[in-house]
Amino acid sequence: MCGPAGRLQPSPRPKFNTPFAYTLTEPSSSCLEGAITEVGFDETPTEVRVFCNVRESNVTAVGIAVDPDDNFRSKYCRITLPRDTKILSLAYGRGTSRYSYHGTAYNDCGVSFAKPLRRSEIGRWKCMNAMSDDRVYGGFVVVVPPNNTKGIPPLTVTTSRSVMVPKGNTFHVECSVHSEIDYCWLRHPNGTAIPVTVPDRTTDDFRNRIGTRYRYTGEGLSFGQCHVAIDDASTSDTGAWLCALGLRDDRREMYGTVDITVSESVIAARQEELYATEGSQVTLGCDTVEKQPIAYCRFLTPSLFGFAVDEKSDARSPPRYAYSGQGLTAGHCGLSIDGVEDSDYGNWTCAVKILDSSGSEEVSTTVILRKPEGFTMIQIIGIVLCGTMISIMSLFFANHLITNPSAKTRKKIEKLEMQLEAGEQGRRVGARRAQTSTRVIRTQPGLSKQGSVPRRI
């Protein structure tokens, strides 16, 4: 029954139908504080049951029986349907119209529902049983009908969204898969491999750290989670973080990436440099990196004219200027300029005051608005289109003139053809005259005593 510390080992099948049964032991060399977790599903002619029941181990590593702890019981039972379509929080006497709590002891966590299976109920269920020892037991249960031919959807890695974090703060790299995993590790943008170990939740926080900066924050490898918090962010942490998850079933690894951007300030410009032509509309501004709400949003123009804007409809902004964003509570400080003028080009200052900051301290950043030099992209596209149209029209008119000439042009063509034909006839007559003007007369040798000599006449 006992295995390596903190690992799942096969346990004897319980008396009822349990396709998956495992033993979870404490990170120690004995099973005195271990627990048997029965994870699986069974069925009756009318219903299906999914469960992750926990039984306290009452046998030590040397086979000595001990009395179970009567206070060892479930604190909460949470079961998630396949593809995270629904999360059930169940207890004795609490459920929904379709899903009912199923269990016979305080350590049980299960759900029962009527047959036939619905499409949303086919696949990988996640069962979580949080016990009084501050640990979460359970895992994934695959539920399929007996005549299933389509199989289970393939596993995919889910990652946390890309984030921007101020320098010195904590950020999270989170990857998960709907399957139990044996291990996971991260790869820093600089290529360094960082192994991840799951801490003992019963120990102090300082023992939960992987290293000086890294802390595991997931629910456990049994739930396919590789969630790591990384403290003291630096600019060298900017880039794509890779997380690798080692599946327990088929011994292969799956991967995901999370993009992290570390900012030197608590705010960041939407675009540090923009280009806009005169008369056009442009939007510039800055937002808080971690979406902290702000007390105000103000701008300073290149000519050192200052004003504040917000999303309120009754707010009076200078002409041509208006607020742009999702509101100060979302940390957005944006400005829309309608009809750019020459005085708008230059360095703009975007300044905000974060609500949770003390005193009158504010933070600001610079945004540069420039006038495009030379041809703009729109102008280049226009020139290319005009050139193309001119070429097409030239070909069209040339073809039209050839196939449908005017009367005047037709007469000129006929005259030219007559001249060409007359010239051709003159050349033919001259050639015939040249052939007939030169003849050679030959006489037989016997007709002259002195012989005959050819002569021209």
Side-chain angles (χ1 to χ4, degrees), residues 284-335:
L284 52 85
C286 59
D287 302 327
T288 55
V289 173
E290 293 186 317
K291 310 305 178 187
Q292 304 102 313
I294 55 179
Y296 60 76
C297 162
R298 72 177 186 88
F299 289 90
L300 192 65
T301 69
S303 57
L304 302 183
F305 170 69
F307 58 89
V309 292
D310 59 39
E311 70 275 20
K312 297 178 182 178
S313 58
D314 58 348
R316 295 184 178 179
S317 303
R320 301 189 301 112
Y321 301 126
Y323 175 81
S324 174
Q326 299 180 7
L328 302 187
T329 56
H332 290 185
C333 180
L335 180 69

Coordinates of all heavy atoms in Angstrom, one line a residue, residues 284-335:
L284 N -4.3 58.2 -28.3 CA -3.1 58.0 -27.6 C -3.5 57.9 -26.1 O -4.6 58.2 -25.7 CB -2.1 59.0 -27.8 CG -2.5 60.5 -27.6 CD1 -2.4 61.0 -26.2 CD2 -1.6 61.4 -28.5
G285 N -2.5 57.4 -25.3 CA -2.8 57.3 -23.8 C -1.9 56.3 -23.1 O -1.0 55.8 -23.7
C286 N -2.3 56.1 -21.9 CA -1.5 55.1 -21.0 C -2.5 54.4 -20.1 O -3.6 54.9 -19.8 CB -0.5 55.8 -20.2 SG -1.1 57.1 -19.1
D287 N -2.2 53.2 -19.7 CA -3.0 52.4 -18.8 C -2.2 51.8 -17.7 O -1.0 51.6 -17.9 CB -3.7 51.2 -19.6 CG -4.5 51.7 -20.8 OD1 -5.1 52.8 -20.7 OD2 -4.5 51.0 -21.8
T288 N -2.8 51.5 -16.6 CA -2.1 50.9 -15.5 C -1.8 49.4 -15.9 O -2.6 48.8 -16.5 CB -3.0 50.9 -14.2 OG1 -4.2 50.3 -14.4 CG2 -3.1 52.4 -13.7
V289 N -0.7 49.0 -15.5 CA -0.2 47.7 -15.9 C -1.1 46.6 -15.4 O -1.4 45.6 -16.1 CB 1.3 47.5 -15.5 CG1 1.7 46.1 -15.8 CG2 2.2 48.5 -16.3
E290 N -1.4 46.6 -14.1 CA -2.2 45.6 -13.5 C -3.7 46.0 -13.3 O -4.4 45.5 -12.5 CB -1.6 45.2 -12.1 CG -0.3 44.6 -12.2 CD 0.2 44.1 -10.9 OE1 0.1 44.8 -9.9 OE2 0.8 43.0 -10.9
K291 N -4.1 46.9 -14.2 CA -5.5 47.4 -14.2 C -6.0 48.0 -12.9 O -7.2 47.9 -12.6 CB -6.5 46.2 -14.7 CG -6.0 45.5 -15.9 CD -5.8 46.4 -17.1 CE -5.3 45.7 -18.3 NZ -5.0 46.6 -19.4
Q292 N -5.1 48.6 -12.2 CA -5.6 49.2 -11.0 C -6.4 50.5 -11.3 O -6.1 51.2 -12.3 CB -4.4 49.7 -10.1 CG -3.4 48.6 -9.8 CD -2.2 48.6 -10.6 OE1 -2.3 48.7 -11.9 NE2 -1.0 48.5 -10.1
P293 N -7.5 50.7 -10.6 CA -8.3 51.9 -10.8 C -7.5 53.2 -10.5 O -6.6 53.2 -9.7 CB -9.5 51.8 -9.8 CG -9.0 50.8 -8.8 CD -8.0 49.9 -9.4
I294 N -7.8 54.3 -11.2 CA -7.1 55.5 -11.1 C -8.1 56.6 -10.6 O -9.3 56.6 -10.9 CB -6.4 55.9 -12.4 CG1 -7.4 56.0 -13.5 CG2 -5.3 55.0 -12.7 CD1 -6.8 56.4 -14.9
A295 N -7.5 57.6 -9.9 CA -8.3 58.7 -9.4 C -8.6 59.7 -10.5 O -9.7 60.3 -10.5 CB -7.6 59.3 -8.2
Y296 N -7.6 60.0 -11.3 CA -7.8 60.9 -12.4 C -6.9 60.6 -13.6 O -5.9 59.8 -13.4 CB -7.6 62.4 -12.0 CG -6.2 62.7 -11.4 CD1 -5.1 62.8 -12.3 CD2 -6.0 62.8 -10.1 CE1 -3.8 63.1 -11.8 CE2 -4.7 63.0 -9.5 CZ -3.6 63.2 -10.4 OH -2.4 63.4 -9.9
C297 N -7.2 61.2 -14.7 CA -6.4 61.0 -15.9 C -6.2 62.4 -16.6 O -7.2 63.1 -16.9 CB -7.2 60.1 -16.9 SG -6.7 60.1 -18.6
R298 N -5.0 62.8 -16.7 CA -4.7 64.1 -17.3 C -3.6 64.0 -18.4 O -2.8 63.1 -18.4 CB -4.3 65.1 -16.2 CG -2.9 64.9 -15.6 CD -2.6 65.9 -14.6 NE -1.2 65.8 -14.1 CZ -0.2 66.4 -14.7 NH1 -0.3 67.1 -15.8 NH2 1.1 66.3 -14.2
F299 N -3.6 65.0 -19.2 CA -2.6 65.1 -20.3 C -2.0 66.5 -20.4 O -2.6 67.5 -20.0 CB -3.3 64.8 -21.7 CG -3.7 63.4 -21.8 CD1 -5.0 62.9 -21.4 CD2 -2.8 62.4 -22.4 CE1 -5.3 61.6 -21.6 CE2 -3.2 61.1 -22.5 CZ -4.4 60.7 -22.1
L300 N -0.8 66.5 -20.9 CA -0.1 67.8 -21.1 C 0.4 67.7 -22.6 O 1.1 66.8 -23.1 CB 1.2 67.9 -20.2 CG 1.9 69.2 -20.2 CD1 0.9 70.3 -19.6 CD2 3.2 69.1 -19.4
T301 N -0.1 68.8 -23.4 CA 0.1 68.8 -24.8 C 1.6 69.2 -25.1 O 2.3 69.7 -24.2 CB -0.8 69.8 -25.5 OG1 -0.5 71.1 -25.1 CG2 -2.3 69.5 -25.1
P302 N 2.1 69.1 -26.3 CA 3.4 69.5 -26.7 C 3.6 71.0 -26.4 O 4.8 71.4 -26.2 CB 3.5 69.2 -28.1 CG 2.6 68.0 -28.3 CD 1.5 68.3 -27.4
S303 N 2.6 71.8 -26.4 CA 2.7 73.2 -26.2 C 2.5 73.5 -24.7 O 2.2 74.7 -24.3 CB 1.7 74.0 -27.0 OG 0.3 73.6 -26.8
L304 N 2.5 72.5 -23.8 CA 2.4 72.6 -22.4 C 1.0 73.1 -21.9 O 0.9 73.9 -21.0 CB 3.5 73.5 -21.8 CG 5.0 73.1 -22.1 CD1 6.0 74.0 -21.5 CD2 5.2 71.6 -21.7
F305 N 0.0 72.7 -22.6 CA -1.4 73.0 -22.2 C -1.9 71.8 -21.5 O -1.9 70.7 -22.1 CB -2.2 73.4 -23.4 CG -3.7 73.5 -23.1 CD1 -4.2 74.5 -22.3 CD2 -4.6 72.6 -23.7 CE1 -5.5 74.6 -22.0 CE2 -5.9 72.7 -23.4 CZ -6.4 73.7 -22.6
G306 N -2.4 71.9 -20.3 CA -2.8 70.7 -19.5 C -4.3 70.7 -19.3 O -5.0 71.7 -19.2
F307 N -4.9 69.4 -19.3 CA -6.3 69.3 -19.0 C -6.5 67.8 -18.6 O -5.7 66.9 -18.8 CB -7.2 69.6 -20.2 CG -6.8 68.8 -21.5 CD1 -7.4 67.6 -21.7 CD2 -5.8 69.3 -22.3 CE1 -7.1 66.8 -22.8 CE2 -5.5 68.5 -23.5 CZ -6.1 67.3 -23.7
A308 N -7.7 67.5 -17.9 CA -8.0 66.2 -17.5 C -9.3 65.7 -18.2 O -10.1 66.5 -18.6 CB -8.3 66.2 -16.0
V309 N -9.4 64.4 -18.4 CA -10.5 63.8 -19.1 C -11.0 62.6 -18.3 O -10.2 62.0 -17.6 CB -10.2 63.4 -20.5 CG1 -9.9 64.7 -21.4 CG2 -9.0 62.5 -20.6
D310 N -12.2 62.2 -18.5 CA -12.8 61.0 -18.0 C -13.9 60.6 -18.8 O -14.3 61.2 -19.8 CB -13.1 61.1 -16.5 CG -14.2 62.2 -16.2 OD1 -15.1 62.3 -17.0 OD2 -14.0 62.9 -15.2
E311 N -14.6 59.4 -18.4 CA -15.6 58.8 -19.2 C -17.0 59.5 -19.0 O -18.0 59.1 -19.6 CB -15.7 57.3 -19.0 CG -16.2 56.9 -17.6 CD -15.2 56.9 -16.6 OE1 -14.1 57.5 -16.8 OE2 -15.4 56.2 -15.6
K312 N -17.1 60.4 -18.1 CA -18.4 61.0 -17.8 C -18.9 61.8 -18.9 O -18.2 62.5 -19.6 CB -18.3 61.8 -16.5 CG -17.9 61.1 -15.3 CD -17.8 62.0 -14.1 CE -17.4 61.2 -12.8 NZ -17.2 62.2 -11.7
S313 N -20.2 61.7 -19.2 CA -20.8 62.3 -20.3 C -20.9 63.8 -20.2 O -20.8 64.6 -21.1 CB -22.2 61.8 -20.6 OG -23.0 62.0 -19.4
D314 N -20.9 64.3 -18.9 CA -21.0 65.7 -18.7 C -19.6 66.4 -18.5 O -19.5 67.6 -18.3 CB -21.8 66.0 -17.4 CG -21.3 65.4 -16.2 OD1 -20.4 64.5 -16.3 OD2 -21.7 65.7 -15.1
A315 N -18.5 65.6 -18.7 CA -17.2 66.1 -18.6 C -16.9 67.0 -19.8 O -17.2 66.7 -20.9 CB -16.2 65.0 -18.5
R316 N -16.4 68.2 -19.5 CA -16.1 69.2 -20.5 C -14.6 69.1 -20.9 O -13.8 69.5 -20.1 CB -16.5 70.6 -20.1 CG -18.0 70.8 -19.9 CD -18.3 72.2 -19.5 NE -19.8 72.4 -19.4 CZ -20.3 73.5 -19.1 NH1 -19.6 74.6 -18.9 NH2 -21.7 73.6 -18.9
S317 N -14.3 68.7 -22.1 CA -12.9 68.6 -22.5 C -12.7 69.7 -23.6 O -13.6 70.2 -24.2 CB -12.6 67.3 -23.2 OG -12.9 66.2 -22.3
P318 N -11.5 70.1 -23.8 CA -11.2 71.1 -24.8 C -11.7 70.6 -26.2 O -11.8 69.4 -26.4 CB -9.6 71.3 -24.8 CG -9.3 70.8 -23.4 CD -10.3 69.7 -23.0
P319 N -11.9 71.6 -27.1 CA -12.4 71.2 -28.4 C -11.4 70.2 -29.1 O -10.2 70.3 -28.9 CB -12.4 72.5 -29.2 CG -12.6 73.5 -28.1 CD -11.8 73.0 -26.9
R320 N -11.9 69.3 -29.8 CA -11.2 68.2 -30.6 C -10.7 67.1 -29.7 O -10.2 66.1 -30.2 CB -10.0 68.8 -31.4 CG -10.4 69.8 -32.4 CD -9.2 70.2 -33.3 NE -8.1 70.7 -32.5 CZ -6.9 70.1 -32.3 NH1 -6.7 68.9 -32.9 NH2 -5.9 70.7 -31.6
Y321 N -10.7 67.2 -28.4 CA -10.2 66.2 -27.5 C -11.4 65.5 -26.7 O -12.3 66.2 -26.2 CB -9.2 66.8 -26.5 CG -8.1 67.5 -27.1 CD1 -7.7 68.8 -26.8 CD2 -7.3 66.9 -28.0 CE1 -6.7 69.5 -27.3 CE2 -6.2 67.5 -28.6 CZ -5.9 68.8 -28.3 OH -4.8 69.4 -28.8
A322 N -11.3 64.2 -26.6 CA -12.3 63.4 -25.8 C -11.6 62.2 -25.2 O -10.6 61.7 -25.7 CB -13.4 63.0 -26.8
Y323 N -12.2 61.7 -24.1 CA -11.7 60.6 -23.4 C -11.9 59.3 -24.2 O -12.9 59.2 -24.9 CB -12.4 60.4 -22.0 CG -12.0 59.1 -21.3 CD1 -10.9 59.1 -20.5 CD2 -12.8 58.0 -21.4 CE1 -10.5 57.9 -19.9 CE2 -12.5 56.8 -20.7 CZ -11.3 56.8 -20.0 OH -10.9 55.6 -19.3
S324 N -10.9 58.4 -24.1 CA -11.0 57.1 -24.8 C -10.6 56.0 -23.9 O -9.4 56.1 -23.3 CB -10.1 57.1 -26.1 OG -10.1 55.9 -26.7
G325 N -11.4 55.0 -23.7 CA -11.1 53.9 -22.8 C -12.3 53.3 -22.1 O -13.4 53.7 -22.4
Q326 N -12.1 52.3 -21.3 CA -13.1 51.6 -20.6 C -13.4 52.2 -19.2 O -14.2 51.6 -18.4 CB -12.8 50.1 -20.5 CG -12.6 49.4 -21.8 CD -12.3 48.0 -21.7 OE1 -12.3 47.4 -20.6 NE2 -11.9 47.3 -22.8
G327 N -12.9 53.3 -18.9 CA -13.2 54.0 -17.6 C -12.0 54.0 -16.7 O -11.0 53.2 -16.8
L328 N -12.0 55.0 -15.7 CA -10.9 55.2 -14.8 C -10.9 54.0 -13.9 O -9.8 53.6 -13.4 CB -11.1 56.4 -14.0 CG -11.2 57.8 -14.8 CD1 -11.2 59.0 -13.8 CD2 -10.1 57.9 -15.8
T329 N -12.0 53.3 -13.6 CA -12.0 52.1 -12.7 C -11.2 51.0 -13.3 O -10.8 50.1 -12.6 CB -13.4 51.7 -12.3 OG1 -14.1 51.5 -13.5 CG2 -14.1 52.8 -11.5
A330 N -11.1 50.9 -14.6 CA -10.4 49.9 -15.3 C -8.9 50.3 -15.5 O -8.2 49.5 -16.1 CB -11.0 49.6 -16.7
G331 N -8.5 51.5 -15.0 CA -7.1 51.9 -15.2 C -6.8 52.4 -16.5 O -5.6 52.5 -16.9
H332 N -7.8 52.9 -17.3 CA -7.6 53.4 -18.7 C -7.5 54.9 -18.7 O -8.4 55.5 -18.2 CB -8.7 52.9 -19.6 CG -8.6 51.4 -19.9 ND1 -9.4 50.8 -20.8 CD2 -7.8 50.4 -19.3 CE1 -9.1 49.5 -20.8 NE2 -8.2 49.3 -19.9
C333 N -6.5 55.4 -19.3 CA -6.3 56.9 -19.5 C -6.0 57.1 -20.9 O -4.8 57.1 -21.3 CB -5.3 57.4 -18.6 SG -5.0 59.2 -18.7
G334 N -7.0 57.4 -21.8 CA -6.8 57.5 -23.2 C -7.4 58.8 -23.7 O -8.3 59.4 -23.1
L335 N -6.9 59.3 -24.8 CA -7.3 60.6 -25.4 C -7.5 60.4 -26.9 O -6.6 59.9 -27.6 CB -6.3 61.7 -25.1 CG -6.6 63.1 -25.7 CD1 -7.8 63.6 -24.9 CD2 -5.4 64.0 -25.6

